[in-house]
Amino acid sequence: QVQVVESGGGLVQAGGSLRLSCAASRTIFSINTMGWYRQAPGKQRELVATITSGARTNYADSVKGRFTISNISRDNVKNTVYLQMNSLKPEDTAVYYCQTGVAGGGNYWGQGTQVTVSS
C-alpha cells in the first residue's frame, strides 16, 4: 500500500498562483507516472498534468498555455510531485487529486486538496 498526501491548496484571487505538493510514501516498487487530476462540483474528475519518472510531461488542453512545461515537476528521491499553477481562473476551482503509479500496475490516489479561485 502506498500512501499519497497532497498539500498546498487554498483560496486565491483570479490571476494568482498556488503550488501544490504531493508526497508518496516509500515503496519497494518503482514509482512510475505521477500526476494531478481535478474534480469540480458536479463534474467528472479530469486530467490536469502528468509527469513520468523520466520527466516527460503531459498537460490537459484546458491548462496549456497557463501551466507551462516546467509547471509540473518531481523529486524522485523524495517521491514528490509538484504543480505550480499560475494565472488561475475561477474555473480552476476544484478538488485537486494526486495519482501515483507504481510498477506492477498499482495506482494510488490522495485524499485531495481544495483549490478555490475567487473572481
Side-chain angles (χ1 to χ4, degrees), residues 4-59:
V4 179
V5 179
E6 304 101 334
S7 61
L11 173 64
V12 64
Q13 289 188 330
S17 300
L18 281 175
R19 187 182 191 228
L20 306 182
S21 299
C22 167
S25 61
R26 293 174 65 94
T27 171
I28 62 173
F29 300 105
S30 298
I31 291 180
N32 297 330
T33 298
M34 301 183 77
W36 289 96
Y37 294 73
R38 66 186 181 187
Q39 187 167 16
K43 295 187 177 181
Q44 289 188 326
R45 191 172 297 188
E46 63 176 4
L47 166 74
V48 178
T50 60
I51 183 168
T52 68
S53 58
R56 183 185 304 173
T57 59
N58 178 51
Y59 293 89

Side-chain angles (χ1 to χ4, degrees), residues 22-27 31 34 74-81:
C22 167
S25 61
R26 293 174 65 94
T27 171
I31 291 180
M34 301 183 77
R74 64 188 282 173
D75 183 329
N76 289 334
V77 174
K78 297 180 179 179
N79 290 341
T80 300
V81 62

Side-chain angles (χ1 to χ4, degrees), residues 6 20 36-41 45-46 48 92-98 110-116:
E6 304 101 334
L20 306 182
W36 289 96
Y37 294 73
R38 66 186 181 187
Q39 187 167 16
R45 191 172 297 188
E46 63 176 4
V48 178
D92 293 317
T93 294
V95 179
Y96 283 69
Y97 296 92
C98 176
Q111 80 289 349
T113 185
Q114 177 70 46
V115 171
T116 302

Side-chain angles (χ1 to χ4, degrees), residues 1 22 42 56 69 76 86-87 93-94 111 118-119:
Q1 186 76 7
C22 167
R56 183 185 304 173
I69 195 168
N76 289 334
N86 302 321
S87 303
T93 294
Q111 80 289 349
S118 62
S119 58

